[in-house]
């Protein structure tokens, strides 16, 4: 990996753990909403984002910081494909869980350059779990290598959600989930996309889709899934890092295609029902 990048990874993991401590210890936080009643933001989200912005940009002087709570690049900034290092951070993924005291939220940190996520760290402070991956170096959980399962679609566990922040898209989500449920084993919903994708990377769940996911929810986990031997994509390939959109993932190319077809039939393909 070469020392500079190894040090970058270790420093990023260290900051993710420290950010997780803020999440665990911040008792009297304030709760608000963004746009819809389902879309929570807390004073802890802001505190953790400010902390990570300060510390991560100090790790790479001149790097850009993109965080859920503001700090978003203009679409035409040309930033995403540029030579500039870009941190993509969700200070608390699973904020609704956090606001309700459900102890199931994670800190998600990705480092991207030229439109590709090269490093991803996801920290679950409640379960003391740290997932990480660096391009070409495999994926790890608390220092041990992890790998996706080889289950087929009939034995697959689906992780998904129903577009809580834009319920006009929920009926399509339920139709897709129903179609997959009729074939796969069962469905799990944790309330945090980044953690669900890490569960896929460690072989606990096997297929995944969300219709309306933002880059900070899955950027870090996308590298962890791929380094664990899994597949992750948007409807038209690649992983979009600009705006919210569908994300599909799977343990095998076959299962990923199966989920992709179910999603396309619902929203993607011309003549599909769409929203
Ligand atoms: C959440 C994701 C979740 C998704 C929610 C939201 P947040 O992220 O983790 O999977 O269903 O709509 O995007 O808002 O807690 O960072």
């Amino acid at each position: 990996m070469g020392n500079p990048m190894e040090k970058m990874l270790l420093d990023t993991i260290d900051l993710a753990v420290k950010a997780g401590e803020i999440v665990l210890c911040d008792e009297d936080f304030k709760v608000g909403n963004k746009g819809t009643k389902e879309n929570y933001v807390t004073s802890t989200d802001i505190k953790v984002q400010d902390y990570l912005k300060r510390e991560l940009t100090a790790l790479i002087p001149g790097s850009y910081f993109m965080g859920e709570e503001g700090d978003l690049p203009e679409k035409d900034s040309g930033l995403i494909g540029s030579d500039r290092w870009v941190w993509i951070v969700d200070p608390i993924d699973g904020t609704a869980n956090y606001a309700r005291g459900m102890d199931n939220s994670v800190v998600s940190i990705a480092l991207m350059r030229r439109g590709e996520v090269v490093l991803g760290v996801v920290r679950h402070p409640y379960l003391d779990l740290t997932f990480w991956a660096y391009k070409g170096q495999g994926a790890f959980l608390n220092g041990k290598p992890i790998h996706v399962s080889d289950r087929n679609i009939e034995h697959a566990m689906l992780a998904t959600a129903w577009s809580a922040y834009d319920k006009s898209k929920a009926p399509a989500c339920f139709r897709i989930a129903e179609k997959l449920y009729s074939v796969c084993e069962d469905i799990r919903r944790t309330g945090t996309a980044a953690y669900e994708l890490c569960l896929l990377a460690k072989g606990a769940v096997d297929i995944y889709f969300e219709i309306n996911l933002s880059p900070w929810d899955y950027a870090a986990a996308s590298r962890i899934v791929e380094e664990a031997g899994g597949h992750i994509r948007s409807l038209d390939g690649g992983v979009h890092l600009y705006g919210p959109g569908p994300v599909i993932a799977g343990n095998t190319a076959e299962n990923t295609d199966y989920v992709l077809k179910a999603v396309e039939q619902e929203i993607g393909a011309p003549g599909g029902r769409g929203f």
Side-chain angles (χ1 to χ4, degrees):
M1 193 189 295
N3 290 345
M5 270 304 142
E6 202 162 337
K7 179 163 181 347
M8 179 65 61
L9 177 63
L10 295 175
D11 289 344
T12 307
I13 291 169
D14 181 48
L15 289 174
V17 171
K18 288 188 174 122
E21 291 309 308
I22 300 173
V23 173
L24 288 180
C25 306
D26 201 19
E27 263 128 32
D28 54 355
F29 57 84
K30 304 209 175 14
V31 178
N33 293 81
K34 297 180 289 186
T36 66
K37 62 180 168 55
E38 295 83 6
N39 194 348
Y40 290 87
V41 59
T42 71
S43 52
T44 314
D45 289 83
I46 310 296
K47 190 185 281 188
V48 172
Q49 178 151 319
D50 291 347
Y51 168 75
L52 288 173
K53 181 174 183 178
R54 190 176 64 245
E55 299 295 330
L56 291 169
T57 52
L59 281 185
I60 308 179
S63 58
Y64 185 92
F65 183 92
M66 179 176 162
E68 175 171 6
E69 311 310 342
D71 297 314
L72 301 179
E74 295 304 317
K75 192 158 178 125
D76 54 7
S77 67
L79 185 73
I80 301 289
S82 74
D83 261 356
R84 198 167 168 194
W85 289 103
V86 179
W87 296 101
I88 306 177
V89 170
D90 192 338
I92 303 181
D93 188 48
T95 299
N97 289 354
Y98 182 71
R100 292 163 172 277
M102 290 171 80
D103 296 352
N104 201 7
S105 307
V106 299
V107 175
S108 176
I109 304 173
L111 180 60
M112 180 187 73
R113 196 181 204 190
R114 302 190 192 103
E116 182 179 43
V117 173
V118 293
L119 179 161
V121 177
V122 173
R123 169 69 178 165
H124 197 310
Y126 301 94
L127 300 178
D128 192 18
L129 302 175
T130 309
F131 297 85
W132 76 77
Y134 188 86
K135 185 170 183 218
Q137 306 293 320
F140 299 83
L141 168 54
N142 291 354
K144 295 200 178 68
I146 54 174
H147 203 278
V148 294
S149 80
D150 59 2
R151 296 185 193 91
N152 61 21
I153 199 73
E154 285 79 24
H155 293 93
M157 181 69 77
L158 167 67
T160 191
W162 294 275
S163 190
Y165 299 173
D166 178 354
K167 290 194 175 173
S168 69
K169 297 179 178 164
C173 299
F174 283 111
R175 287 194 292 266
I176 298 164
E178 184 184 0
K179 189 175 286 175
L180 294 170
Y181 187 67
S182 66
V183 174
C184 73
E185 268 190 23
D186 202 345
I187 296 179
R188 291 292 179 271
R189 170 62 179 149
T190 69
T192 150
Y195 184 46
E196 284 163 4
L197 287 165
C198 286
L199 289 174
L200 189 145
K202 68 168 275 197
V205 303
D206 313 291
I207 50 176
Y208 173 93
F209 84 90
E210 270 209 55
I211 288 301
N212 199 28
L213 216 50
S214 297
W216 44 82
D217 296 319
Y218 62 89
S222 69
R223 176 48 61 194
I224 296 167
V225 166
E226 289 184 336
E227 291 300 321
H231 305 260
I232 184 165
R233 53 169 297 158
S234 60
L235 276 183
D236 55 5
V239 171
H240 281 306
L241 292 167
Y242 266 122
V247 173
I248 293 132
N251 58 338
T252 62
E254 198 186 355
N255 287 351
T256 309
D257 281 350
Y258 194 99
V259 176
L260 177 65
K261 288 203 174 45
V263 173
E264 280 178 340
Q265 276 156 13
E266 205 46 61
I267 66 168
R273 293 189 198 190
F275 296 116

